[in-house]
Structures are given as structure tokens and as C-alpha cells.
Short mmCIF file of all heavy atoms in Angstrom, two decimals:
data_model
loop_
_atom_site.label_atom_id
_atom_site.label_comp_id
_atom_site.label_asym_id
_atom_site.label_seq_id
_atom_site.Cartn_x
_atom_site.Cartn_y
_atom_site.Cartn_z
N ASN A 7 122.05 91.87 90.47
CA ASN A 7 121.27 91.21 91.57
C ASN A 7 122.22 90.25 92.24
O ASN A 7 123.22 89.74 91.65
CB ASN A 7 120.24 90.39 90.83
CG ASN A 7 119.07 91.25 90.48
OD1 ASN A 7 118.72 92.27 91.06
ND2 ASN A 7 118.30 90.77 89.52
N THR A 8 121.98 90.13 93.53
CA THR A 8 122.68 89.15 94.27
C THR A 8 121.64 88.06 94.73
O THR A 8 120.50 88.14 94.46
CB THR A 8 123.18 89.89 95.62
OG1 THR A 8 122.21 90.43 96.33
CG2 THR A 8 124.19 90.96 95.17
N LYS A 9 122.18 87.04 95.40
CA LYS A 9 121.32 85.91 95.92
C LYS A 9 120.27 86.36 96.81
O LYS A 9 119.11 86.01 96.72
CB LYS A 9 122.24 84.89 96.53
CG LYS A 9 121.51 83.64 96.86
CD LYS A 9 122.47 82.61 97.47
CE LYS A 9 121.69 81.35 97.79
NZ LYS A 9 122.70 80.28 98.40
N GLU A 10 120.63 87.35 97.66
CA GLU A 10 119.63 87.85 98.70
C GLU A 10 118.66 88.72 97.99
O GLU A 10 117.34 88.54 98.30
CB GLU A 10 120.33 88.67 99.70
CG GLU A 10 121.24 87.88 100.67
CD GLU A 10 122.57 87.52 100.04
OE1 GLU A 10 122.84 88.04 98.96
OE2 GLU A 10 123.28 86.68 100.65
N SER A 11 118.96 89.58 97.04
CA SER A 11 117.96 90.37 96.33
C SER A 11 117.09 89.61 95.45
O SER A 11 115.94 89.99 95.21
CB SER A 11 118.72 91.51 95.50
OG SER A 11 119.54 90.90 94.50
N PHE A 12 117.57 88.44 94.80
CA PHE A 12 116.82 87.62 94.00
C PHE A 12 115.65 86.86 94.76
O PHE A 12 114.55 86.73 94.32
CB PHE A 12 117.72 86.60 93.29
CG PHE A 12 117.02 85.68 92.38
CD1 PHE A 12 116.50 86.11 91.12
CD2 PHE A 12 116.81 84.41 92.74
CE1 PHE A 12 115.88 85.24 90.29
CE2 PHE A 12 116.11 83.49 91.93
CZ PHE A 12 115.65 83.91 90.73
N ASN A 13 116.10 86.48 95.96
CA ASN A 13 115.15 85.69 96.81
C ASN A 13 114.17 86.62 97.55
O ASN A 13 113.16 86.13 98.04
CB ASN A 13 115.90 84.81 97.82
CG ASN A 13 116.66 83.75 97.09
OD1 ASN A 13 116.18 83.21 96.03
ND2 ASN A 13 117.82 83.42 97.71
N ASP A 14 114.49 87.89 97.59
CA ASP A 14 113.62 88.90 98.32
C ASP A 14 112.49 89.27 97.39
O ASP A 14 112.64 89.95 96.37
CB ASP A 14 114.38 90.08 98.76
CG ASP A 14 113.53 90.96 99.64
OD1 ASP A 14 112.57 90.61 100.09
OD2 ASP A 14 114.01 92.13 99.86
N VAL A 15 111.18 88.84 97.71
CA VAL A 15 109.99 89.23 96.96
C VAL A 15 108.95 89.96 97.81
O VAL A 15 107.75 89.94 97.45
CB VAL A 15 109.35 87.87 96.40
CG1 VAL A 15 110.25 87.21 95.33
CG2 VAL A 15 108.94 86.96 97.49
N SER A 16 109.51 90.63 98.81
CA SER A 16 108.51 91.36 99.70
C SER A 16 107.92 92.52 98.96
O SER A 16 106.84 92.96 99.30
CB SER A 16 109.34 91.79 100.88
OG SER A 16 110.39 92.62 100.57
N SER A 17 108.62 93.09 97.94
CA SER A 17 108.10 94.34 97.34
C SER A 17 107.31 94.09 96.09
O SER A 17 106.90 94.92 95.35
CB SER A 17 109.20 95.32 96.94
OG SER A 17 110.21 94.61 96.16
N PHE A 18 107.09 92.67 95.82
CA PHE A 18 106.35 92.29 94.58
C PHE A 18 104.84 92.57 94.81
O PHE A 18 104.29 92.26 95.85
CB PHE A 18 106.62 90.91 94.33
CG PHE A 18 105.87 90.36 93.09
CD1 PHE A 18 106.23 90.73 91.79
CD2 PHE A 18 104.77 89.48 93.29
CE1 PHE A 18 105.63 90.24 90.71
CE2 PHE A 18 103.99 89.05 92.17
CZ PHE A 18 104.44 89.46 90.94
N GLN A 19 104.20 93.17 93.84
CA GLN A 19 102.75 93.47 93.82
C GLN A 19 102.12 92.88 92.58
O GLN A 19 102.41 93.27 91.50
CB GLN A 19 102.44 94.93 93.91
CG GLN A 19 102.99 95.60 95.17
CD GLN A 19 102.66 97.09 95.31
OE1 GLN A 19 101.95 97.61 94.36
NE2 GLN A 19 103.22 97.74 96.32
N SER A 20 101.31 91.86 92.75
CA SER A 20 100.72 91.18 91.63
C SER A 20 99.72 91.99 90.82
O SER A 20 99.55 91.83 89.63
CB SER A 20 100.05 89.82 92.05
OG SER A 20 98.98 90.17 93.02
N LYS A 21 99.04 92.92 91.53
CA LYS A 21 98.02 93.75 90.88
C LYS A 21 98.68 94.67 89.80
O LYS A 21 98.02 94.96 88.77
CB LYS A 21 97.27 94.58 91.80
CG LYS A 21 96.42 93.72 92.79
CD LYS A 21 95.61 94.62 93.78
CE LYS A 21 94.79 93.76 94.69
NZ LYS A 21 94.02 94.60 95.66
N VAL A 22 99.83 95.22 90.05
CA VAL A 22 100.48 96.16 89.20
C VAL A 22 101.53 95.54 88.28
O VAL A 22 102.17 96.22 87.59
CB VAL A 22 101.08 97.35 89.98
CG1 VAL A 22 99.94 98.04 90.65
CG2 VAL A 22 102.09 96.91 90.95
N ALA A 23 101.81 94.21 88.58
CA ALA A 23 102.85 93.59 87.71
C ALA A 23 102.45 93.35 86.30
O ALA A 23 101.24 93.09 86.04
CB ALA A 23 103.16 92.26 88.35
N HIS A 24 103.36 93.58 85.36
CA HIS A 24 103.09 93.39 83.93
C HIS A 24 101.96 94.22 83.36
O HIS A 24 101.33 93.76 82.49
CB HIS A 24 102.84 91.89 83.62
CG HIS A 24 103.83 90.93 84.13
ND1 HIS A 24 105.15 90.84 83.63
CD2 HIS A 24 103.87 89.97 85.17
CE1 HIS A 24 105.83 89.93 84.30
NE2 HIS A 24 105.02 89.44 85.18
N ASN A 25 101.82 95.37 83.89
CA ASN A 25 100.84 96.37 83.41
C ASN A 25 99.46 95.86 83.35
O ASN A 25 98.65 96.09 82.55
CB ASN A 25 101.26 96.84 82.02
CG ASN A 25 102.52 97.59 81.96
OD1 ASN A 25 102.75 98.33 82.87
ND2 ASN A 25 103.26 97.45 80.89
N LYS A 26 99.05 95.04 84.40
CA LYS A 26 97.69 94.46 84.52
C LYS A 26 96.91 95.18 85.54
O LYS A 26 95.70 94.68 85.79
CB LYS A 26 97.80 92.93 84.79
CG LYS A 26 98.54 92.08 83.70
CD LYS A 26 98.48 90.70 84.06
CE LYS A 26 99.08 89.79 82.95
NZ LYS A 26 99.09 88.39 83.36
N GLY A 27 97.36 96.16 86.21
CA GLY A 27 96.55 96.76 87.21
C GLY A 27 95.49 97.71 86.56
O GLY A 27 95.40 97.90 85.43
N PRO A 28 94.59 98.19 87.46
CA PRO A 28 93.47 99.05 86.91
C PRO A 28 94.04 100.36 86.40
O PRO A 28 94.87 101.06 87.08
CB PRO A 28 92.61 99.31 88.18
CG PRO A 28 93.52 99.07 89.30
CD PRO A 28 94.45 97.98 88.88
N GLY A 29 93.62 100.75 85.17
CA GLY A 29 94.10 101.98 84.57
C GLY A 29 95.37 101.85 83.86
O GLY A 29 95.89 102.80 83.26
N LYS A 30 96.01 100.77 83.94
CA LYS A 30 97.34 100.62 83.23
C LYS A 30 97.22 100.46 81.79
O LYS A 30 98.06 100.88 81.07
CB LYS A 30 98.11 99.34 83.82
CG LYS A 30 98.55 99.55 85.24
CD LYS A 30 99.57 100.61 85.42
CE LYS A 30 100.01 100.75 86.85
NZ LYS A 30 101.11 101.83 87.02
N ALA A 31 96.02 99.79 81.34
CA ALA A 31 95.88 99.69 79.92
C ALA A 31 95.70 101.02 79.24
O ALA A 31 96.06 101.19 78.10
CB ALA A 31 94.65 98.73 79.56
N ARG A 32 95.09 101.98 80.02
CA ARG A 32 94.89 103.25 79.44
C ARG A 32 96.07 104.19 79.46
O ARG A 32 96.44 104.83 78.52
CB ARG A 32 93.67 103.89 80.12
CG ARG A 32 93.30 105.20 79.51
CD ARG A 32 92.12 105.81 80.25
NE ARG A 32 92.22 106.19 81.60
CZ ARG A 32 91.82 105.39 82.67
NH1 ARG A 32 91.08 104.31 82.45
NH2 ARG A 32 92.12 105.74 83.92
N LYS A 33 96.77 104.02 80.57
CA LYS A 33 97.95 104.93 80.81
C LYS A 33 99.28 104.37 80.22
O LYS A 33 99.97 104.98 79.48
CB LYS A 33 98.11 105.28 82.29
CG LYS A 33 97.00 106.15 82.76
CD LYS A 33 97.13 106.50 84.20
CE LYS A 33 96.05 107.37 84.78
NZ LYS A 33 96.23 107.67 86.14
N GLY A 34 99.60 103.15 80.71
CA GLY A 34 100.90 102.61 80.39
C GLY A 34 100.78 101.25 79.69
O GLY A 34 101.80 100.49 79.76
N GLY A 35 99.61 100.89 79.18
CA GLY A 35 99.51 99.62 78.51
C GLY A 35 100.18 99.48 77.16
O GLY A 35 100.87 100.42 76.70
N LYS A 36 99.88 98.39 76.48
CA LYS A 36 100.50 98.14 75.13
C LYS A 36 99.93 99.04 74.07
O LYS A 36 100.61 99.55 73.26
CB LYS A 36 100.26 96.64 74.78
CG LYS A 36 101.06 96.23 73.56
CD LYS A 36 100.93 94.76 73.31
CE LYS A 36 101.68 94.29 72.13
NZ LYS A 36 101.55 92.92 71.83
N LYS A 37 98.56 99.37 74.24
CA LYS A 37 97.95 100.16 73.25
C LYS A 37 98.39 101.63 73.38
O LYS A 37 98.61 102.30 72.41
CB LYS A 37 96.36 100.08 73.33
CG LYS A 37 95.87 98.83 72.99
CD LYS A 37 94.34 98.78 73.12
CE LYS A 37 93.71 97.44 72.79
NZ LYS A 37 92.26 97.44 72.87
N ALA A 38 98.60 102.03 74.60
CA ALA A 38 99.08 103.31 74.81
C ALA A 38 100.54 103.56 74.33
O ALA A 38 100.95 104.60 73.90
CB ALA A 38 99.00 103.72 76.30
N LEU A 39 101.31 102.50 74.45
CA LEU A 39 102.78 102.59 74.02
C LEU A 39 102.84 102.58 72.48
O LEU A 39 103.73 103.21 71.98
CB LEU A 39 103.52 101.39 74.62
CG LEU A 39 103.75 101.47 76.15
CD1 LEU A 39 104.46 100.07 76.57
CD2 LEU A 39 104.54 102.68 76.57
N ASN A 40 101.96 101.80 71.72
CA ASN A 40 102.04 101.78 70.32
C ASN A 40 101.25 102.93 69.73
O ASN A 40 100.02 102.81 69.39
CB ASN A 40 101.41 100.44 69.87
CG ASN A 40 101.75 100.16 68.36
OD1 ASN A 40 102.49 100.93 67.71
ND2 ASN A 40 101.12 99.06 67.80
N LYS A 41 101.89 104.12 69.56
CA LYS A 41 101.34 105.28 69.04
C LYS A 41 101.31 105.37 67.58
O LYS A 41 100.72 106.26 66.97
CB LYS A 41 101.92 106.50 69.72
CG LYS A 41 101.75 106.58 71.16
CD LYS A 41 102.42 107.81 71.72
CE LYS A 41 102.20 107.81 73.26
NZ LYS A 41 102.95 109.13 73.81
N ARG A 42 102.07 104.47 66.85
CA ARG A 42 102.20 104.64 65.39
C ARG A 42 100.90 104.02 64.74
O ARG A 42 100.48 102.96 65.07
CB ARG A 42 103.49 103.84 64.97
CG ARG A 42 103.75 103.95 63.43
CD ARG A 42 104.86 103.10 63.13
NE ARG A 42 105.18 103.26 61.67
CZ ARG A 42 106.01 102.44 61.06
NH1 ARG A 42 106.62 101.45 61.64
NH2 ARG A 42 106.25 102.63 59.76
N PRO A 43 100.29 104.70 63.79
CA PRO A 43 99.20 104.20 63.08
C PRO A 43 99.53 102.95 62.27
O PRO A 43 100.67 102.77 61.91
CB PRO A 43 98.65 105.37 62.21
CG PRO A 43 99.89 106.17 62.00
CD PRO A 43 100.68 106.08 63.29
N GLY A 44 98.42 102.20 61.87
CA GLY A 44 98.65 100.93 61.14
C GLY A 44 98.96 101.18 59.67
O GLY A 44 99.01 102.38 59.18
N LYS A 45 99.25 100.12 59.03
CA LYS A 45 99.75 100.25 57.50
C LYS A 45 98.57 100.87 56.76
O LYS A 45 98.76 101.72 55.88
CB LYS A 45 100.15 98.91 57.04
CG LYS A 45 100.71 98.95 55.65
CD LYS A 45 101.20 97.65 55.29
CE LYS A 45 101.80 97.60 53.84
NZ LYS A 45 102.31 96.29 53.44
N ARG A 46 97.31 100.28 56.91
CA ARG A 46 96.19 100.82 56.07
C ARG A 46 95.93 102.20 56.34
O ARG A 46 95.66 103.04 55.43
CB ARG A 46 95.00 99.96 56.42
CG ARG A 46 93.87 100.16 55.40
CD ARG A 46 92.89 99.18 55.70
NE ARG A 46 93.25 97.78 55.32
CZ ARG A 46 92.50 96.62 55.47
NH1 ARG A 46 91.34 96.69 56.02
NH2 ARG A 46 93.05 95.50 55.15
N ALA A 47 96.03 102.59 57.58
CA ALA A 47 95.76 104.07 57.88
C ALA A 47 96.82 104.96 57.33
O ALA A 47 96.52 106.04 56.82
CB ALA A 47 95.73 104.25 59.43
#
């Protein structure tokens, strides 16, 4: 990153940031990423 690229936030989208957008929890959320079963299972 440079100073110009750090200050440029034009491409930032708050709806899809941090996997909070619609459908992200199902497709790319934390639950979807953790595919390993629990200890009790």
C-alpha cells in the first residue's frame, strides 16, 4: 500500500464488508468456513 491507496476508500462497500452482506453467512460466513465437527460429535 501507498499513501494514496490507503486514503482511497471509493471502492469500499459496507454491505459486503466483513462477510455481513446478505447470503454471506450461508456461503462464505464463519459457519460455512468451520466444516470440522465438534468434539462431542
Side-chain angles (χ1 to χ4, degrees):
N7 285 331
T8 60
K9 186 177 181 181
E10 289 79 10
S11 66
F12 179 76
N13 294 327
D14 185 13
V15 293
S16 58
S17 61
F18 178 74
Q19 296 179 6
S20 59
K21 292 181 180 180
V22 296
H24 304 294
N25 294 326
K26 291 182 179 180
K30 291 294 180 181
R32 184 176 64 253
K33 292 182 181 179
K36 189 174 181 181
K37 292 181 180 179
L39 292 173
N40 190 7
K41 295 181 181 180
R42 186 184 180 192
K45 185 176 181 181
R46 192 170 292 178

